[in-house]
Amino acid sequence: MTTAIGDFLTGAQGDRSGALSVLNDILGPLPAPDQPSMLEHRAQELGMLPLIRTWQERDNTAVADESTIHALFRPVELQRFSTQTGLSERAAMNILRDLLPSAIRHRAINARAGWQRQMGQTDATTAQQAAGE
């Protein structure tokens, strides 16, 4: 009860400041072709990779359910998220449920943009080498 009151008084249920940074830190490097992310590996093992792919491909997907969060994250990672954001475990769970699908979408978009830049640089280098520069 005290935690719920504290979360309400501090606005923790709606606070997103820093939460995305902590989440990205826990998730690690962006996925790359032939180098799945930590989350993709876990989802694959659990038969949940289609869900991750849906989040990667679509905007405005539904929030994740609590069982999905517990399946994809280890307890120590959930505790780390709660501790580093300063949120109670309940508030951290609520924010993760809402934040994870959109974070996965944005990480996929950023990863693709990085691949495209990298491919563009590789293509430019190859063209310069072919031209004898």
Side-chain angles (χ1 to χ4, degrees), residues 17-89:
S17 61
L20 185 58
S21 295
V22 175
L23 178 58
N24 278 318
D25 189 45
I26 291 169
L27 293 173
L30 294 175
D34 300 322
Q35 295 176 349
S37 69
M38 172 273 295
L39 196 68
E40 290 170 325
H41 278 294
R42 288 187 189 167
Q44 178 70 38
E45 292 171 3
L46 298 166
M48 299 174 76
L49 193 55
L51 175 63
I52 299 300
R53 296 292 182 242
T54 298
W55 290 345
Q56 290 172 332
E57 298 300 324
R58 295 187 192 143
D59 283 325
N60 301 320
T61 57
V63 299
D65 60 43
E66 194 168 328
S67 63
T68 298
I69 299 298
H70 282 292
L72 293 173
F73 292 94
R74 294 186 175 111
V76 69
E77 292 164 337
L78 295 173
Q79 181 61 45
R80 177 179 164 198
F81 184 84
S82 176
T83 300
Q84 288 186 355
T85 59
L87 301 170
S88 69
E89 289 182 25

Side-chain angles (χ1 to χ4, degrees), residues 73-131:
F73 292 94
R74 294 186 175 111
V76 69
E77 292 164 337
L78 295 173
Q79 181 61 45
R80 177 179 164 198
F81 184 84
S82 176
T83 300
Q84 288 186 355
T85 59
L87 301 170
S88 69
E89 289 182 25
R90 174 67 13 223
M93 177 59 70
N94 288 337
I95 287 176
L96 275 173
R97 291 182 62 221
D98 184 50
L99 188 60
L100 185 62
S102 62
I104 296 304
R105 169 76 171 143
H106 290 287
R107 287 171 58 87
I109 290 169
N110 289 336
R112 284 186 205 113
W115 306 332
Q116 290 170 349
R117 277 194 306 276
Q118 188 176 29
M119 291 304 293
Q121 291 170 352
T122 302
D123 291 346
T125 302
T126 302
Q128 287 175 347
Q129 290 172 345

